[in-house]
Amino acid sequence: MRQSSLVVVANRLPLDDNVAPDGACEWRRSPGGLASALHAILESTPATWVGWGGGVGPAPPLADIGTLRLRPVPLTEDELRGYYEGFANSTLWPLYHDAVEQPVFDRGWWETYRTVNRRFAEAAAEVAEPGAAVWIQDYHLQLVPQMLRELRPDVLIGFFMHVPFPPPELFMQLPRRLELLRGMLGADLVGFQRPQAAHNVAQLAGKLLGAKGADDAILFDGRVVRTGAFPVSIDVTEMEALNARPYVVNQARQLRHDLGLHKKVLLSVDRLDYTKGIEHRLTAYSELLRDGRVKVRDVVMVQVAVPSRERVESYRGLKDRIESEVGRINGEYGRVGQPAIHYLNQPFDRADLAALYQTADVMVVTPLRDGMNLVAKEYVAARADDTGALVLSEFAGAANELEDAFQVNPHDVDGLKETLLRALVAEPADLSRRMAAMRAHITENDIHAWARAYLTALDHSGQLARHLPRQREALAPRA
Ligand code: ADP
Ligand code: F6P
C-alpha cells in the first residue's frame, strides 16, 4: 500500500460520475463547498484522499488524479441509509443548523455511523506514512479523530468542521453527545468556521467531560487539543481567470439579453437544502410582486437549486413545496415571455456559474444557517468591476467577514423585503465602495490563505503548507 505524508479524509471523493474501466477519473468540483475548497489546495500538493466514491458495493480501484491518490471507502446500501442519509444528514445536519428542520433520532443509525467511521479511520491509518498529517473533514466523520489516534498514535490529526457547531443547548439533545464530543477531541487541532463554535466546544467539554478549556485549547485525556476559527474561502485567482474567458463574457452577455436588457436580475444559487432559506426568499419576492413594489417588467429572479440528498425525506418534501411555489408565483405574476422567476434544478459547470454571477445585479444569499457559504464569496470574486449588490444572511459564516454586504435576518420576511428593495435601488457609488471592500477582503483571505493558516497551526513548522502557492504566486494569472 502506497503511503502519503498528507492524508485528507472526507465523506465523498471529489470524483465526477465518469470513472473509466481502468479507474481513470476527473475532479468533480461541486456542488458543495467542501470539494470546491479543497480542489484549489490538492491540485498542487502530493496527498491521498480517503472517501466514498459514490454508489454502493465494493469500490473499484481508482487511478491518481495528478499528484492526488484516491483511496475509496465502500458503503453498502444499508450503510448509505444509516450513516449518510440517516445519522449524518437527518440527525446531525439539522441539529447543527439550529434545528431549522426537526432532527431525527433513530437509534438504529448510530451503530452504522460508528462502523463506517471506523472503516474511514482504518483506511486513513493504512495510507498515512509514519508521522504523517491526517486532515479529517466535517460532521460525517466526527468519530474518526479518536479512532485514528488509537490506531496510529504517531500521526498528527487535524479535524475541520465545515458546518456550524451548535450551542450547548442544542448539542445536549444528541443521545450520543459524549461519544461525538470525545471523537472530535481525538484531534490535535479542531478547526471551525466561526470563533463562536470553538467557544461552544469549550463549554461542552467542561460540562460533559469535565475538561479544562478555553476558546483556543482544551485539556482532555492528558493532551492539549487546540481549537480555533479558520474561515474557509474560495480560489479567487480561478474565479478571476474564469471571468476573463471569452466564453464566460459571451455567455453573460447572452444571459443578459435573454433575461431582459433593462431588467434588474436577482440571483440565488444553492443546493436544494432547507437550510438555504429558499422558501423564505420566495415568500419575500412574491409579496413584493403582490404589493406592486416590484414589477415583472423591471425585475426578474433566477433561482438555481441544484438537486441534493434526494432520497432524504425532508429534502423531497422541500423540492415539492418549492416547485409548487415557483409555479404559483409565475402563474400569478408572470406575463407571456416574462416569467417572474426562472427556476433551474440542475448542476452547472464553473464557467456557466461565473456567467450567471456576472449577470446578476443582486445576489441573494439568505440561508437560515450556514457554516460559511462559498457562493457569496464566489459572487464577490466574479464582480471584477465592483458592480452588483450582495444581500447576505447574518446566519451565514460569511457574514462575519463580508461586513459590507446588505446583511439581513432571513427569518424576518418584512426585513428581507426591505433589504431586497434597498439593494435594488442602491446608488452605484455605494455598491462600488461595498464591493471593493469585500473583494479586497476575499483576495487577502483566499483558499490558499485558509489552508496555509490551518496547516501551519497543525504542524507549527510550515512543512505541511510548503506545496501551497504563496499569496503572490496564487494571485499571478495562471497559464
Ligand atoms: P454547501 O457546502 O452547503 O453546498 P456553499 O455555498 O459553501 O454551500 O458551497 C456550494 C458550492 O457548490 C459552491 O462552490 C457553488 O459554486 C457550488 N454550486 C452551487 N450550486 C451549483 C450548481 N447548480 N451547479 C454547480 N455547482 C454549484
Ligand atoms: O459542509 C457541507 C457539506 O456537507 C459538505 O460536506 C459537502 O461538500 C456538501 O455539503 C454537499 O453535501 P453532500 O455531499 O451530501 O452532497
Side-chain angles (χ1 to χ4, degrees):
M1 171 57 61
R2 294 182 302 170
Q3 294 189 319
S4 294
S5 59
L6 176 63
V7 177
V8 167
V9 191
N11 170 55
R12 264 184 208 282
L13 286 172
L15 297 180
D16 66 6
D17 299 329
N18 310 311
V19 178
D22 63 354
C25 47
E26 286 187 11
W27 264 94
R28 186 177 87 134
R29 285 293 308 274
S30 44
L34 190 151
S36 290
L38 292 176
H39 175 262
I41 300 156
L42 296 179
E43 235 183 352
S44 54
T45 312
T48 297
W49 184 313
V50 175
W52 169 53
V56 289
L62 297 170
D64 301 347
I65 307 180
T67 54
L68 183 66
R69 292 174 186 164
L70 303 175
R71 165 64 164 87
V73 175
L75 293 181
T76 65
E77 176 64 31
D78 280 353
E79 287 167 349
L80 188 61
R81 287 191 188 279
Y83 150 75
Y84 170 74
E85 293 169 0
F87 198 78
N89 284 315
S90 301
T91 306
L92 294 182
W93 178 268
L95 191 92
Y96 285 9
H97 288 83
D98 286 357
V100 294
E101 189 82 19
Q102 181 62 39
V104 181
F105 299 118
D106 179 313
R107 281 174 285 173
W109 292 340
W110 171 252
E111 272 313 315
T112 316
Y113 182 81
R114 221 167 41 170
T115 305
V116 172
N117 269 244
R118 181 158 302 282
R119 191 171 305 146
F120 273 84
E122 282 164 359
E126 228 176 79
V127 297
E129 67 180 43
V134 181
W135 194 6
I136 300 152
Q137 314 285 324
D138 236 353
Y139 61 101
H140 313 86
L141 303 177
Q142 215 174 303
L143 303 178
V144 174
Q146 191 192 26
M147 289 172 166
L148 181 61
R149 181 166 295 283
E150 283 159 14
L151 294 167
R152 288 289 304 271
D154 62 301
V155 299
L156 197 54
I157 303 176
F159 180 82
F160 187 79
M161 185 71 99
H162 290 255
V163 301
F165 189 83
E169 315 75 272
L170 276 177
F171 190 82
M172 292 298 283
Q173 288 184 16
L174 276 171
R176 297 299 183 149
R177 58 202 188 188
L178 269 180
E179 289 99 320
L180 285 160
L181 192 60
R182 275 205 199 100
M184 191 166 71
L185 294 180
D188 295 291
L189 174 66
V190 182
F192 298 100
Q193 305 278 23
R194 286 180 136 173
Q196 181 62 42
H199 181 69
N200 294 346
V201 166
Q203 281 190 309
L204 279 163
K207 193 178 168 83
L208 287 175
L209 306 172
K212 281 205 175 55
D215 292 1
D216 59 354
I218 295 168
L219 188 60
F220 172 62
D221 242 4
R223 295 183 304 116
V224 176
V225 182
R226 284 169 300 123
T227 61
F230 301 86
V232 74
S233 194
I234 60 160
D235 190 346
V236 176
T237 323
E238 184 225 16
M239 205 70 217
E240 286 175 351
L242 271 178
N243 287 338
R245 267 171 52 183
Y247 170 82
V248 173
V249 175
N250 289 334
Q251 189 65 10
R253 207 173 284 139
Q254 184 64 45
L255 277 168
R256 168 53 69 185
H257 179 267
D258 294 345
L259 289 166
L261 287 176
H262 304 295
K263 285 189 186 177
K264 293 269 185 178
V265 176
L266 299 171
L267 172 68
S268 291
V269 175
D270 310 278
R271 273 186 309 101
L272 208 162
D273 195 300
Y274 51 82
T275 59
K276 301 290 182 182
I278 303 173
E279 291 181 284
H280 294 62
R281 192 184 300 151
L282 291 179
T283 304
Y285 182 54
S286 142
E287 289 188 12
L288 287 171
L289 288 164
R290 181 198 65 196
D291 302 343
R293 300 177 80 191
V294 155
K295 302 220 168 10
V296 286
R297 62 162 189 264
D298 304 322
V299 173
V300 62
M301 182 171 196
V302 179
Q303 171 70 64
V304 176
V306 63
S308 185
R309 305 173 192 165
E310 292 176 282
R311 300 200 321 184
V312 177
E313 183 57 40
S314 46
Y315 286 74
R316 277 208 299 270
L318 175 74
K319 182 165 188 279
D320 293 346
R321 291 197 303 278
I322 288 176
E323 292 183 352
S324 114
E325 183 60 1
V326 167
R328 185 192 69 77
I329 294 174
N330 277 333
E332 281 187 34
Y333 305 108
R335 298 278 175 274
V336 173
Q338 285 197 331
I341 175 163
H342 293 264
Y343 168 73
L344 300 156
N345 180 224
Q346 49 194 270
F348 280 79
D349 70 26
R350 306 294 301 163
D352 289 313
L353 271 181
L356 274 168
Y357 291 142
Q358 281 191 14
T359 311
D361 297 293
V362 180
M363 185 79 210
V364 192
V365 181
T366 54
L368 304 177
R369 175 60 75 190
D370 210 331
M372 175 51 63
N373 199 290
L374 294 183
V375 165
K377 293 187 173 181
E378 287 169 2
Y379 178 68
V380 171
R383 309 304 296 195
D385 56 359
D386 289 338
T387 58
L390 173 64
V391 171
L392 180 61
S393 164
E394 293 164 13
F395 301 108
N400 267 27
E401 297 173 79
L402 303 180
E403 289 170 356
D404 288 283
F406 291 84
Q407 294 209 1
V408 68
N409 169 4
H411 298 274
D412 169 13
V413 173
D414 290 329
L416 182 50
K417 286 161 68 179
E418 295 308 320
T419 309
L420 288 174
L421 289 174
R422 272 177 58 218
L424 279 167
V425 302
E427 291 295 331
D430 180 30
L431 293 179
S432 165
R433 181 196 57 76
R434 289 168 182 263
M435 195 55 81
M438 293 190 287
R439 277 170 57 72
H441 178 86
I442 61 162
T443 304
E444 184 75 14
N445 298 281
D446 69 351
I447 190 65
H448 303 289
W450 172 72
R452 183 172 297 284
Y454 185 90
L455 292 175
T456 307
L458 181 60
D459 78 342
H460 298 297
S461 67
Q463 265 300 93
L464 277 172
R466 71 190 183 283
H467 293 289
L468 296 172
R470 303 216 147 262
Q471 193 78 3
R472 260 193 315 281
E473 293 163 29
L475 290 177
R478 281 189 202 146

